[in-house]
Amino acid sequence: MKTFLTLILLVAAAAAGWFLRGNHSSSMSTAPASTERKVLFYQSAMHPWIKSDKPGRCTICGMELTPVYEGDKGFDAGGGDVVPLTQNQIQVMQVQTVEAKVQPLMKTLRVAGMMDDDERRHRIISAYVDGRVDQLFANHHGVEVVAGEPLALIYSPALLQAEREYRQLTGELKKNTALRLRQMGLTPAQIEALEKKPADALNSEILSPLTGTVVEHDVYEGQYVTMGQKLFAIADFSIMWFQFRAYEQDMPWIKLGQKVEVTTPSVPGKTFTGEITFIDPNFDEATRSTQVRVELPNPLVNGRRELLHRLYADGSVKVELREVLTVPKSTVMQTGPEAVVYVDQGGGAYARSVVKIGRRGDSLLEILSGIKPGDKIVTNGNLLIDGQAEMNRSFMSPVQPMAPAMAMPDLTAPQQQVISNFIKVADAMAAALSADDLAAFNKASEPAMMQTGELIDTLKSNAALKPKLDALDKARHFHGFTDIMKARIAFHTFSTAVTALIEPLRTAKGAPEFKVWECMMVNQIIPDVPAKGRWVQLGTRPGHNPYFGADMLECVKEIQP
């Protein structure tokens, strides 16, 4: 019995061993050779530009990096507006950043002007009575005189007679005679001193009414003068006026009371400081500027004034505005209407940001929107980063098939005539602006509304042209301009609509001959427009620039059909 049980256990053990061995062999034979995929790199899901060839954590947020396997695309690194760079690329491109800060905006306006005397302290001394000049004390230009000091002795029978009467009269008659003496040029002090004046004295003194410098002297000893004749001109040079022209774009910076530093070649190495005391409210229509006055102290130094009359001088108006968000000028790239900066996102990524620019200081720009204080803005290497961003966008954008050119139907005889008449008007407007002739432009634009209306009527049957005809219809109003800059802005709007409509018509059969010209920097004179601007001309004259006129007359490019 015991032997039988032992035999049973041995058989069971053998069967169990066989089962386990068979099952293990089966599982080994059915498993694939390898289930692991190759890891390409590790990437941060929150900051996709953070990549590593080893597991780890994001250097910005600390999140664990996610493996990206072979065949996977990984996380989008921000499209063309975020440019990831390696440390090696950053060093090669010499990328540098600066922090956007809220701080005062400094601006220095460089101006030039002339020194003039204070016109409120400039006096003309004329003869009050007929007489003869017996002696001159101020007998040449440049004499420094003091208020109350005698300028000349005059012999006047009428004045002498009035003085004698004054000494002899009393009461009301004496007062009336004193009033007549005042009218004859004597001061109250001179009238009071007549009682002590010797009876045999024949001359009276002409006194200086103010302290200053004799700048004109039109009389000589022994000369007879008549009442009202100009004798002297005296100017007070103790305070000088530095006067300069300020233009429209300068006015936001210029305020009364501002300090101005003035230098002049006649006093090398010295700076004079004064304050703005007057801004002329009347602008010159021709120069679009007005006069600003700065008062400068001008004391005597070694017996003479340092600042002389009619000197040329340079001024520096230093302006400090309240604290605003600023960045250095080198951080901002402006092409056309958009201003762009690149913001350091950390980990070698730089994000493109469109900013709105306010006022421009000496080295800083005011930023109204687009970034915030504390952002690190690229100040060196931003052009290279922007170039890389453009490449990224071009690679990421799908290639769009070119639209087939629209076939233009043949023009009828009436259409040819209307288009020809319209082009003559557009050509005359462009010619007037290129000659800087505002009156000629206003005259040339008079038929523009009527000719445009006729053009719209003759082409409106073509439904494909409707958007362009609507744009031209809105731009055809010219009512005469008093400012050539406003005329050029209106012409740009009109000409943009004209070329969009007329240029394709060159391929139509029967189209009149005309040329299309282009200026590649219109945005330098007309704000907030694309850099390139076109216009149409007759083929009988060379291309001349209507946007800049004589300043850049031949800065043009012909657009071939």
Side-chain angles (χ1 to χ4, degrees), residues 400-444:
Q400 299 292 337
M402 293 184 63
M406 183 176 63
M408 299 302 298
D410 296 347
L411 298 177
T412 64
Q415 287 177 332
Q416 295 176 30
Q417 185 61 49
V418 169
I419 294 172
S420 179
N421 293 340
F422 177 81
I423 292 173
K424 289 178 182 177
V425 173
D427 175 79
M429 294 166 67
L433 289 181
S434 64
D436 299 318
D437 191 337
L438 180 60
F441 175 81
N442 286 333
K443 184 172 181 60

Side-chain angles (χ1 to χ4, degrees), residues 451-493:
Q451 293 292 345
T452 303
E454 292 182 2
L455 180 68
I456 292 171
D457 287 340
T458 197
L459 295 178
K460 65 182 180 181
S461 59
N462 189 334
L465 296 179
K466 187 178 186 308
K468 297 179 180 180
L469 293 174
D470 290 344
L472 181 59
D473 185 43
K474 295 177 182 178
R476 64 170 169 160
H477 301 280
F478 297 91
H479 302 290
F481 296 92
T482 58
D483 184 345
I484 197 168
M485 190 63 236
K486 292 181 180 178
R488 285 189 164 117
I489 292 173
F491 175 78
H492 177 268
T493 304

Side-chain angles (χ1 to χ4, degrees), residues 257-299:
Q258 282 175 331
K259 298 290 184 182
V260 181
E261 295 181 350
V262 180
T263 58
T264 174
S266 69
V267 191
K270 184 167 183 178
T271 300
F272 300 86
T273 303
E275 290 186 358
I276 295 177
T277 58
F278 177 72
I279 301 173
D280 193 337
N282 301 304
F283 259 69
D284 185 291
E285 291 185 0
T287 62
R288 305 309 304 158
S289 64
T290 190
Q291 188 162 268
V292 180
R293 177 197 306 161
V294 178
E295 292 190 7
L296 299 170
N298 187 31

Side-chain angles (χ1 to χ4, degrees), residues 294-334:
V294 178
E295 292 190 7
L296 299 170
N298 187 31
L300 285 169
V301 177
N302 298 325
R304 64 184 291 270
R305 306 283 183 185
E306 287 188 297
L307 295 173
L308 305 180
H309 197 208
R310 302 297 184 188
L311 278 179
Y312 170 84
D314 295 305
S316 175
V317 185
K318 296 189 178 297
V319 186
E320 181 175 334
L321 298 181
R322 59 179 177 82
E323 291 190 342
V324 294
L325 179 60
T326 63
V327 295
K329 287 183 176 180
S330 59
T331 63
V332 179
M333 297 174 293
Q334 191 157 13

Side-chain angles (χ1 to χ4, degrees), residues 349-364:
Y350 300 90
R352 181 179 184 271
S353 179
V354 177
V355 295
K356 184 178 181 182
I357 298 175
R359 289 162 290 190
R360 298 173 181 267
D362 291 334
S363 59
L364 300 175

